[in-house]
Every structure is written in structure tokens, then in C-alpha cells.
Amino acid sequence: MTVYAPLLGMLWRTLESYGFDPRQIIPEDVYRPGMGPLAGERVSLAIYDELLSRAARLVGDPAIGLRAAEKLHPSHLGALGHAWMASSSLRTAIYRAQRYHRMLNERVILRLNQAPGLLLVEYGLPEKAPIPDEQADSLLACMLNLCRFNFGPEFTPAFVHMRRAPPANVEPWTRYFGTGVEFDRDQNCLAIHDCDADKQLTGSSPQLVAVHEEMLQRKMVELDQSDIINRTRVAILDQLPSGQLNGEIVAAELNMTRRTLHNKLRSRGVTFSTLVTEIRKELARRYLLDCSYGVTETSFLLGYADSSAFSRAFKSWFGVSPSEYRQACG
């Protein structure tokens, strides 16, 4: 497994902020500012983990994950960071981050869920990840930092939950997130009010997003051409408008049997129907935010036989009808 090497720029700036020379930690053949990642665009997780662990030991600050997030700039995320800044809303930016997050770190899992009135952003780390508390702090704090880049410094999450035990002094966490952080919870989660997630952002640029999306898609293909989830998503997207989407057709397009496809997806912790629903939900929001698509046209693009079936599904997902959602976001 690997990590996107330009992320080391964030670590470099973090060490500098504590008054340390980053060259004490980061080897010359791995990264230097202005010269990019000298060992290539990606570094192994083993090297990345060692650098993070050494930095944490050197600094000795329990809140180093929060400090690191303050030093994050979207440019550290490459094409994903630029696409994030040009996104039309926080929701589209976050869904884009989920789609391409593996490009940044192949080990970290980014999950999105919906609760009444809330978008839930959850991060998963393996049990044996080094300095898991500091990494979880950094992941959630980086997400908040990116949201504030787009939304404005006044953005505050609805709540923050962390799996870690409470630190001796919780004040840095409360100050950074702008709300009380609940520790010893079941997941690392940042909750965002729907009204904030769907607010149209003034810096949005569909043209820039399209350019960087193309770059991201190429990088994802390069990262893992054999990834069954990405391949299945592409096949589903191809088949959706036909109105004849099913596992048999998608499996045939991937040159395997339906049983084999379902077994491969199950081994990755997902199902075919779950992927179809995730894609439909994502596209439904995107189309409804674009006034050039009517509700009926959107329903056909998503593979529904009629608009009433789409409307029922949409309301079951988001609690409002497509027309009500469009009006609220308009």
C-alpha cells in the first residue's frame, strides 16, 4: 500500500511550525519543498508511517494531528485538492473526496452516511495503524479545514465523535472544531448540517472540476487497474441510462459470471445493490442541482422506468421529494 507523496508537504510545514528542521525527519531522497516527491509520486505506507511516528515522538504534542491539519493546503492533495476547491457545494466536494480518497492513502477508509438533516463523514483506520489517535485527529481536522477553505472560516460541524480516549486537555480539540468533541465513541465522525452541505459555493467551477476529474480518473486507473469496485462502478454508470441494469449485464461487461462478481464485491465488503444505490444517490443530487435536467429526465438517466419510481426512491433516501430538494437548494 502507498500514500500520495505530496502529502509530506503538510508534515514538512507542521515540523517547521514547532521550530524543528524537517530535514531531521524527512530524507532528502523522499521529499524537499519546491522539488516535489523525489522518490516518485507515491511512497510506501511503511515509510510514511515511520515518518509520522518519528515526527510525533520528536514534537511530543498530543495535539499534533490538529496542528498538521492547520498546515494542510489543497495543493497538497494534487488534482483532488483543486477539484475540491472548484466544487459546487461541500456535499459534492466530500462525495468527490470519497470517490478518490484511495489515491491519497490506500489504507484509510472514508465512509459517507445520511442521518436526519445531517451528512456524516466517517474515517476508518486499521487497528494496528501507528499513532492511531493522532491520525484520526488529523483526518477529521483536515476535513474540517478543507470545508472551511470552501465554505468560510465560520463553518462549524454539527458534532464530532472520536474513537480515541479523551486527552488530558480537551481544550485544543474544542477550540479547533468549534464544538464539543465526544470521545470514546464507536467511530471517527464529523457531522455536517444538510443546509451547510448543500449551500451553493461562490468558488465553484464546473470546467475546472471536469479537468481535474479527468486527471483523477487516470490516476485511479494507474493506481489499481484491477480494483473490482471501481470497475463495477464504471460498468454501472455505463448501463444506468439503458433502464436494463442488473448484475448479469454488468458481470458480462466485466467478463465474469454474476456469481463471481457478487463474490468479489462481497470480499471487499460491498454488494452490487449497494453500489447501484450509492451511484444513483450521488447522480440524483448532481442532476437536480443542475437546472438543465428535469425530474423526468433525471429519472430516466438513473435507469428508472418512470419518474414516480424515482421520486419514491429519492424521498426514501433524503426525506424530501426531488422537486422539494431542488427548491430548497435553489
Side-chain angles (χ1 to χ4, degrees):
M1 288 189 170
T2 59
V3 174
Y4 186 55
L7 283 172
L8 292 171
M10 180 172 67
L11 179 59
W12 187 281
R13 294 179 66 190
T14 301
L15 289 167
E16 285 185 328
S17 74
Y18 283 105
F20 292 104
D21 184 350
R23 290 173 292 188
Q24 293 178 255
I25 299 294
I26 304 174
E28 185 175 0
D29 63 348
V30 174
Y31 177 85
R32 284 293 181 269
M35 300 182 69
L38 304 184
E41 193 175 59
R42 307 195 68 79
V43 296
S44 72
L45 264 172
I47 292 175
Y48 187 72
D49 287 344
E50 176 61 21
L51 296 179
L52 293 184
S53 298
R54 289 177 60 193
R57 290 193 298 268
L58 177 66
V59 170
D61 179 10
I64 187 175
L66 305 182
R67 177 75 71 90
E70 290 177 347
K71 304 306 175 185
L72 173 69
H73 188 273
S75 62
H76 294 144
L77 310 181
L80 179 55
H82 294 296
W84 175 285
M85 293 297 289
S87 296
S88 61
S89 68
L90 290 184
R91 189 184 299 275
T92 57
I94 292 168
Y95 270 85
R96 183 167 291 114
Q98 182 196 38
R99 190 157 62 249
Y100 298 113
H101 191 271
R102 199 165 56 86
M103 188 201 79
L104 302 179
N105 189 320
E106 291 187 82
R107 180 176 57 196
V108 173
I109 299 171
L110 174 56
R111 303 186 187 92
L112 303 180
N113 289 296
Q114 193 73 31
L118 296 171
L119 173 63
L120 306 180
V121 184
E122 301 175 12
Y123 284 100
L125 281 167
E127 294 294 333
K128 296 183 179 180
I131 55 169
D133 291 348
E134 291 84 350
Q135 287 202 55
D137 289 344
S138 181
L139 288 167
L140 290 174
C142 282
M143 175 58 71
L144 179 63
N145 190 12
L146 288 169
C147 288
R148 285 173 173 163
F149 263 109
N150 282 26
F151 191 95
E154 72 277 11
F155 172 78
T156 303
F159 63 78
V160 180
H161 290 171
M162 290 188 175
R163 296 186 64 183
R164 62 169 295 164
N169 176 18
V170 302
E171 195 275 333
W173 282 259
T174 302
R175 183 176 67 251
Y176 186 91
F177 288 101
T179 186
V181 178
E182 297 184 33
F183 300 94
D184 285 326
R185 299 300 297 254
D186 293 335
Q187 68 280 322
N188 299 307
C189 176
L190 185 84
I192 301 174
H193 292 290
D194 275 345
C195 57
D196 290 338
D198 295 320
K199 179 182 177 181
Q200 295 299 285
L201 302 172
T202 57
S204 65
S205 172
Q207 294 81 7
L208 285 178
V209 167
V211 170
H212 293 298
E213 281 262 1
E214 183 179 352
M215 296 172 61
L216 288 166
Q217 289 167 7
R218 288 202 303 268
K219 289 181 182 296
M220 289 294 289
V221 170
E222 294 169 4
L223 180 62
D224 189 358
Q225 292 187 354
S226 65
D227 182 76
I228 188 61
I229 294 179
N230 284 340
R231 292 173 60 204
T232 305
R233 285 180 63 92
V234 171
I236 290 171
L237 285 167
D238 287 341
Q239 294 295 326
L240 266 182
S242 72
Q244 299 179 343
L245 178 70
N246 60 58
E248 199 77 45
I249 292 174
V250 170
E253 187 171 332
L254 298 175
N255 297 314
M256 63 183 74
T257 65
R258 180 176 180 173
R259 182 185 184 89
T260 299
L261 173 60
H262 285 206
N263 287 340
K264 285 179 176 289
L265 292 175
R266 192 178 300 113
S267 71
R268 294 290 304 277
V270 300
T271 65
F272 179 77
S273 60
T274 298
L275 282 180
V276 172
T277 299
E278 288 179 354
I279 291 169
R280 278 176 162 163
K281 289 170 68 174
E282 178 182 339
L283 291 177
R285 285 186 177 278
R286 187 185 305 173
Y287 290 144
L288 289 175
L289 291 174
D290 185 340
C291 292
S292 62
Y293 293 97
V295 172
T296 299
E297 183 180 5
T298 297
S299 67
F300 291 138
L301 287 171
L302 298 183
Y304 287 96
D306 55 66
S307 57
S308 60
F310 165 60
S311 295
R312 288 193 298 271
F314 190 93
K315 191 163 187 176
S316 71
W317 299 333
F318 304 116
V320 295
S321 70
S323 298
E324 290 170 334
Y325 177 82
R326 171 168 279 172
Q327 184 176 9
C329 295

